[in-house]
Amino acid sequence: VYFCTGGTSLISAWKKANPEGKVLMWIWSGMWGDAKRWDIKKPEVAAKCEATLEKRIAEFDRPGYPRPDIVQIHVRVDHSKPGDPFAPSSALLKKAFAKLKSLGIEAQVMPWTGGDKIETYEKLWALGPDSFSTDYPDVMDAFFRSLEKKEL
């Protein structure tokens, strides 16, 4: 059984009450709402996504910080954005995935926007997550099938 949360206040209590239970903690981009309202091409929006993830990942270095089994990072995607289509940025996502893995935590990514395009999964996969969560399983399935063909 997984306990899913965006914070840490109940993780220790959950693990004490359910020693075999697992914890999935999500880190969102700091913004709720639709892609038009939170246009990641705007520097202030991209900066908020960066700051949110940087702060949350840095917390894992604090002594006694409760450790989830999986951290799911929500990513905003805009393939029309010049250069890097992601907020938080590709560089920060790669760093966050590596940090989580070094702590023995599964690094999962969920495209909050752009999950309806196979290109999103191709580019995110190259950054090193362990897994995906999606609202578009058919697109993700097509992505993994394309990986299988490349490996043959």
Side-chain angles (χ1 to χ4, degrees), residues 60-81:
F60 285 95
D61 290 327
R62 285 195 344 235
Y65 190 81
R67 296 281 168 88
D69 300 284
I70 300 173
V71 170
Q72 180 186 88
I73 299 172
H74 295 183
V75 178
R76 293 195 175 264
V77 182
D78 183 347
H79 291 291
S80 71
K81 180 182 164 203

Side-chain angles (χ1 to χ4, degrees), residues 7 16 20 52 80 88 107 119 132 136 140:
K16 185 177 180 183
E20 301 299 316
T52 299
S80 71
E119 177 183 12
F132 289 105
Y136 300 92
M140 193 169 67

Side-chain angles (χ1 to χ4, degrees), residues 119-137:
E119 177 183 12
T120 297
Y121 300 96
E122 292 168 345
K123 290 181 176 183
L124 285 169
W125 188 248
L127 302 176
D130 294 305
S131 63
F132 289 105
S133 180
T134 184
D135 291 329
Y136 300 92

Side-chain angles (χ1 to χ4, degrees), residues 39-56:
D39 183 352
I40 65 172
K41 288 180 261 189
K42 294 178 183 173
E44 65 275 12
V45 172
K48 183 164 178 68
C49 290
E50 291 285 295
T52 299
L53 182 56
E54 284 177 339
K55 177 183 176 220
R56 296 297 302 275

Side-chain angles (χ1 to χ4, degrees), residues 94-135:
K94 192 172 188 173
K95 179 179 161 185
F97 297 151
K99 172 72 171 184
L100 293 168
K101 289 179 180 189
S102 76
L103 297 170
I105 299 170
E106 181 179 326
Q108 185 178 93
V109 63
M110 178 174 185
W112 196 251
T113 56
D116 58 337
K117 296 185 176 27
I118 198 166
E119 177 183 12
T120 297
Y121 300 96
E122 292 168 345
K123 290 181 176 183
L124 285 169
W125 188 248
L127 302 176
D130 294 305
S131 63
F132 289 105
S133 180
T134 184
D135 291 329

